[in-house]
Amino acid sequence: MNIVYTRNHGLSPEQLRKIEAKFGKLAKMVERNGEREARVILKSERHLHHAEITMNLYDHPIVATASDGDRFTAISGAVEKMEAQAKKLMAKWRGT
């Protein structure tokens, strides 16, 4: 899975490795018909960090957002929401 960050993520190498592992789990689930690309948009607003992840799956855009005081937690939350949305969409396509 190609991961494109729109800003400098400012994460330690250990935190970046954990994020890559979470994206690896998501990649196993969605990369059946080819490699996917996920765009991670990071924004900071005073003491709050926003993370937004966008990805196309079955020609449908999936967007997951999360906010937290810690940048790592915000990205992790967005990845978890992305996994839930991908599971829901894949179940919907399997059902038909």
Side-chain angles (χ1 to χ4, degrees):
M1 175 173 275
N2 293 333
I3 304 168
V4 178
Y5 293 96
T6 58
R7 281 186 82 183
N8 183 8
H9 46 74
L11 299 172
S12 70
E14 181 180 330
Q15 290 176 332
L16 193 58
R17 205 169 349 128
K18 289 180 182 179
I19 294 293
E20 296 290 334
K22 288 187 179 215
F23 273 111
K25 182 180 174 187
L26 179 63
K28 285 181 186 177
M29 188 173 21
V30 299
E31 287 186 347
R32 298 194 181 174
N33 297 336
E35 190 162 327
R36 304 279 185 219
E37 180 178 274
R39 296 185 180 271
V40 181
I41 301 169
L42 301 172
K43 299 176 190 172
S44 295
E45 184 179 297
R46 294 190 183 212
H47 302 291
L48 193 62
H49 298 281
H50 302 283
E52 178 180 325
I53 302 173
T54 59
M55 182 175 65
N56 282 334
L57 183 62
Y58 297 118
D59 296 327
H60 289 82
I62 300 176
V63 179
T65 60
S67 300
D68 198 85
D70 181 37
R71 185 172 291 171
F72 173 74
T73 310
I75 297 171
S76 296
V79 172
E80 290 171 5
K81 287 181 182 180
M82 179 67 71
E83 287 177 9
Q85 288 184 15
K87 283 181 189 177
K88 183 178 177 181
L89 186 62
M90 289 176 69
K92 185 174 160 182
W93 278 94
R94 277 190 214 131
T96 59

